[in-house]
Amino acid sequence: MRLGLVIGEAAQGLRRNVAMVISVILVTFISLTFVGAAILLQMQIGQMKGYWYDRAQVAVYLCTSSDTGGNCAQAEATKDQIAAVRAQLDSTTLKPYVKHYDFETHAEAYANFKKQFADSPLASFTKPSMLNESFRVNLVNPNQAAILIDSLKGLPGVQDVEDQRGYLDQIFAVLNAASYTAIGLAALMLVAAVLLIATTIRLSAFSRRREIGIMRLVGASNRFIQTPFILEGVFAALIGSVLAGGAIVAIVQFFVKGYLGNTLGQTTTLVGTQDAWIVVPVLVVLGAVLASLSAGAAISRYLKV
Amino acid sequence: MIRFDTVSKSYPGTSRPALNGVNLEILKGEFVFLVGASGSGKSSFLRLILKEEFPTKGQIHVLGQHVNRLPSRKVPYFRRNLGVVFQDFRLLPQKTVFDNVAFTLQVIGKSRGFIQEAVPDVLKMVGLAGKSGRYPHELSGGEQQRVAIARAIVNKPAILLADEPTGNLDPATSAGIMTLLERINLGGTTVVMATHDAGIVDQMQRRVIELIGGQIVRDERRGGYQTQTIPIQRLEAEQAIGVQP
């Protein structure tokens, strides 16, 4: 009986305020889509970090006959120099940090190079001797690359020591910037959504001020008076957040899995539908909580005794 | 039932208080007229009883409750024991007579069965038995006020407050409303009625409390609208607020 009445009042409010309710739905839809996109981007960054940091190596490039940089003087690294680097990697100081390492010869480097640049004209005039021999080192903890760089960089015959995570960090920086932009936009839109919900509820309360006046006079509890208005705001916001959830799932399904999946192939991991389904409830709860808070604040001034 | 101990009420921005040191007690089952010029404090008095306003000074007890100390969340439950009627009826225009009265009971959580029983009863009592499906704009002023009274008493309140209930009605219709209020009073409900209607007050011969400038200048057991018994007190009060007698 009471519940039916409360829901009936809320439905009546929604009907009377259709235009405002639609605008609330649209604004929450857009803002929560941005929130969802930002969360997905962060998930993507997290996944890529997990995937690539495990594979990222520290490369110790040895001199070729054409190198002038580093400790090279246009002379190929000698066998002794290579052995010295290897000894250093095996030494008690570095050993605890190194998981394992491989030595890449000119021939292997050339084979990799040819594979990577098969379609490029570069491959045809590159000779194996132009490519550096290198140690490929996997670290126990990829964050400790600096130790390796410091201890190996000064050795004779070493052209350069490079932490490959450097390349990744640039990619992550771009993705991070994108997700912060999305969060910034989302925050602005959410402020707009909250204010719009408050205004809508205030309008709705104003159009029913006679009823509210009588309810207060005859002793309806505050909770009874405010619940229909809060439900009204929450209902509108819920529709918006469900739409946003749908948009997020669609983005993952059609853009990430469909388009990006086809273009990037197996080169990296991408967020999947199961990640999108984690984001959807977050959006729905966020929408409902924000709406009930702002509607509750808006209606409270009509309830002062 | 209702007790005021040196109650004063000042509104911000005005130096003269709306009520000034009011002491009075209204007993169970009494019928009390509250008379006085506009701005003499009648409405403030009623609003203080309802706890729509908070007294600046003094203590108010209503129905054994210390109204000053009543927490906000208990105010709705306190108000369920009070019925209120206004000059402008305050009916909901898009609801029928039945629904206007039923609304009161719905919002305080009464069951459907109770409503189906209580509303026709009270409509019959106020003389609107055949009109429960009408809308307020289809009714005369007197009938609308009867709906408002039905709404005020359907929950069987111990006190009925009426703020100039006959202010918008012609004398004949007013007399009908007064008969109704008298009948409600006979049923044991305390009635406090603010009015400007001298004819009604003179005819009913009930307790009359007269306010001038927020002070009680007269409290007569069986009074009329005007009185000659205590002219001096009236004069003093009028001089205090600068009214030419």
Side-chain angles (χ1 to χ4, degrees):
Chain A
M1 172 79 204
R2 260 184 91 128
L3 189 69
L5 191 71
V6 167
I7 291 170
E9 293 274 320
Q12 203 184 9
L14 287 167
R15 265 202 307 278
R16 273 195 213 170
N17 253 336
V18 174
M20 287 299 274
V21 168
I22 290 174
S23 56
V24 167
I25 291 174
L26 291 178
V27 172
T28 37
F29 168 35
I30 304 289
S31 54
L32 289 175
T33 306
F34 275 110
V35 173
I39 298 175
L40 274 184
L41 267 172
Q42 284 298 332
M43 284 177 151
Q44 177 67 42
I45 292 169
Q47 279 199 5
M48 283 175 79
K49 275 187 176 162
Y51 182 83
W52 284 108
Y53 277 9
D54 277 354
R55 286 162 180 74
Q57 296 165 321
V58 176
V60 184
Y61 293 109
L62 301 172
C63 295
T64 64
S65 51
S66 54
D67 279 328
T68 51
N71 308 323
C72 307
Q74 289 190 309
E76 179 90 11
T78 64
K79 283 220 165 54
D80 288 346
Q81 286 170 340
I82 296 169
V85 173
R86 190 185 293 271
Q88 184 76 1
L89 283 170
D90 288 333
S91 70
T92 47
T93 36
L94 285 187
K95 190 98 184 161
Y97 300 107
V98 176
K99 203 195 276 169
H100 71 92
Y101 64 88
D102 297 313
F103 183 70
E104 192 177 76
T105 63
H106 286 305
E108 286 161 349
Y110 184 65
N112 281 338
F113 183 85
K114 273 216 300 200
K115 203 160 67 184
Q116 259 179 319
F117 295 94
D119 301 330
S120 159
L122 215 57
S124 58
F125 57 82
T126 303
K127 293 190 206 68
S129 64
M130 290 161 73
L131 297 167
N132 300 73
E133 290 179 307
S134 59
F135 285 99
R136 302 283 168 156
V137 186
N138 284 74
L139 294 175
V140 175
N141 177 355
N143 291 327
Q144 290 166 331
I147 298 168
L148 216 66
I149 295 171
D150 284 347
S151 66
L152 295 177
K153 200 156 192 170
L155 293 181
V158 173
Q159 189 230 355
D160 198 8
V161 183
E162 204 170 63
D163 182 3
Q164 292 177 331
R165 287 195 312 158
Y167 302 124
L168 295 174
D169 285 341
Q170 288 173 9
I171 299 170
F172 293 144
V174 171
L175 287 176
N176 257 328
S179 90
Y180 290 142
T181 311
I183 287 178
L185 283 174
L188 282 179
M189 296 287 291
L190 280 179
V191 170
V194 163
L195 293 178
L196 193 61
I197 291 170
T199 310
T200 306
I201 296 309
R202 215 162 271 159
L203 260 180
S204 186
F206 186 75
S207 73
R208 273 186 280 168
R209 63 194 181 286
R210 278 166 164 275
E211 278 97 331
I212 294 178
I214 290 167
M215 284 195 246
R216 288 187 43 197
L217 208 60
V218 303
S221 64
N222 280 351
R223 184 186 305 238
F224 180 86
I225 298 174
Q226 73 191 6
T227 307
F229 294 99
I230 292 177
L231 278 185
E232 198 179 320
V234 168
F235 181 77
L238 268 185
I239 294 182
S241 38
V242 167
L243 286 177
I248 289 299
V249 172
I251 286 172
V252 169
Q253 190 69 33
F254 298 112
F255 178 70
V256 176
K257 278 173 87 175
Y259 174 75
L260 287 182
N262 285 337
T263 346
L264 300 179
Q266 293 305 311
T267 47
T268 185
T269 57
L270 292 168
V271 287
T273 325
Q274 74 280 6
D275 297 304
W277 285 115
I278 298 172
V279 176
V280 171
V282 172
L283 298 184
V284 170
V285 169
L286 184 66
V289 167
L290 281 180
S292 62
L293 288 181
S294 78
I299 193 66
S300 66
R301 82 148 88 165
Y302 281 87
L303 300 175
K304 284 196 192 103
V305 189
Chain B
M1 191 116 274
I2 300 173
R3 200 173 84 223
F4 276 50
D5 286 329
T6 57
V7 172
S8 296
K9 173 69 191 174
S10 306
Y11 292 100
T14 52
S15 56
R16 200 164 59 79
L19 284 180
N20 192 359
V22 169
N23 279 301
L24 71 87
E25 179 154 20
I26 295 171
L27 301 176
K28 183 169 165 52
E30 275 195 293
F31 195 119
V32 180
F33 285 114
L34 215 52
V35 300
S38 299
S40 60
K42 300 191 299 295
S43 295
S44 293
F45 181 81
L46 295 180
R47 292 169 68 79
L48 282 170
I49 297 176
L50 269 173
K51 204 182 194 280
E52 282 200 80
E53 307 273 2
F54 199 80
T56 318
K57 261 190 287 188
Q59 316 290 319
I60 301 175
H61 292 263
V62 176
L63 293 166
Q65 304 251 32
H66 192 179
V67 177
N68 300 48
R69 298 215 192 107
L70 201 63
S72 310
R73 73 195 149 76
K74 284 194 177 162
V75 170
Y77 303 94
F78 164 72
R79 287 192 185 148
R80 290 178 191 186
N81 301 309
L82 305 171
V84 196
V85 182
F86 299 95
Q87 181 175 6
D88 56 357
F89 319 138
R90 301 203 190 168
L91 300 176
L92 298 173
Q94 75 284 12
K95 286 190 194 289
T96 63
V97 168
F98 184 95
D99 289 340
N100 261 290
V101 179
F103 185 68
T104 303
L105 296 174
Q106 283 170 347
V107 301
I108 61 173
K110 295 288 187 196
S111 74
R112 194 185 292 270
F114 179 85
I115 291 170
Q116 291 297 339
E117 216 166 281
V119 176
D121 273 1
V122 77
L123 285 177
K124 195 170 147 207
M125 186 200 167
V126 301
L128 291 172
K131 303 204 166 162
S132 63
R134 301 286 195 89
Y135 287 90
H137 63 87
E138 299 170 342
L139 301 176
S140 70
E143 287 169 330
Q144 290 189 39
Q145 190 60 292
R146 283 169 191 270
V147 177
I149 292 172
R151 182 179 66 192
I153 60 167
V154 67
N155 196 30
K156 310 226 178 307
I159 300 174
L160 178 64
L161 304 174
D163 195 355
E164 301 186 29
T166 58
N168 278 348
L169 306 175
D170 63 71
T173 315
S174 299
I177 296 293
M178 289 317 297
T179 315
L180 177 58
L181 289 179
E182 210 169 2
R183 190 135 45 90
I184 292 164
N185 177 238
L186 283 175
T189 305
T190 308
V191 179
V192 180
M193 171 171 162
T195 188
H196 287 299
D197 196 324
I200 288 173
V201 180
D202 288 339
Q203 196 206 334
M204 298 267 291
Q205 290 292 307
R206 298 300 186 109
R207 180 175 174 188
V208 177
I209 296 171
E210 183 171 355
L211 288 166
I212 292 179
Q215 286 178 312
I216 294 181
V217 296
R218 169 161 70 108
D219 188 348
E220 250 182 314
R221 189 97 337 244
R222 289 177 159 275
Y225 191 73
Q226 299 279 349
T227 185
Q228 305 304 317
T229 49
I230 38 169
I232 296 154
Q233 200 180 1
R234 171 197 289 272
L235 198 67
E236 278 173 356
E238 280 175 345
Q239 277 167 351
I241 61 163
V243 176
Q244 293 303 316

